[in-house]
Amino acid sequence: MRTLFIHGAGGFDEDRPLAAAFGAHASMPRMSDEDMSYASWTRRLRPALAALADGDLVIAHSFGGSILLLMLAEEAASVDLISGNRLALGVSRGSPETVLRGYEAFG
């Protein structure tokens, strides 16, 4: 299992200890400190996400988490339209039960 860590705004150096806490297999791409636009960050983020395999973990901190959530929400909306509104999503804040049985928690 690999871990992709997405740092916060301007936090590549500052967030290194946090990313390192997740083990030797954590990778952290350097996001722009100067161009904080959605387009700039997703341009770097999409290839990193595409390289993930089943079972890999994504952790996003602060601004990086906001960018990731927006990107995933946009993609989910597209999938939902294609699937005829049959997409079910769940978000967990530490409890795996919410994700495993998200259909119960989120309708």
Side-chain angles (χ1 to χ4, degrees):
M1 178 176 77
R2 295 175 302 162
T3 301
L4 171 64
F5 186 92
I6 305 162
H7 65 80
F12 183 78
D13 293 322
E14 293 83 356
D15 289 351
R16 277 188 170 290
L18 186 57
F22 293 101
H25 299 291
S27 66
M28 185 171 73
R30 181 184 286 273
M31 303 304 211
S32 177
D33 291 345
E34 296 169 7
D35 184 355
M36 302 297 293
S37 69
Y38 176 76
S40 172
W41 276 52
T42 57
R43 200 170 16 258
R44 298 289 319 259
L45 189 53
R46 287 183 197 284
L49 290 171
L52 295 174
D54 287 348
D56 288 348
L57 180 65
V58 178
I59 299 170
H61 181 253
S62 193
F63 184 75
S66 298
I67 294 293
L68 177 65
L69 285 174
L70 179 57
M71 189 180 89
L72 293 176
E74 288 179 346
E75 291 183 12
S78 297
V79 170
D80 193 42
L81 287 173
I82 293 169
S83 70
N85 298 317
R86 294 187 310 257
L87 181 66
L89 297 174
V91 176
S92 176
R93 189 176 172 143
S95 173
E97 294 80 17
T98 307
V99 172
L100 296 175
R101 298 189 348 226
Y103 59 91
E104 293 175 357
F106 297 99

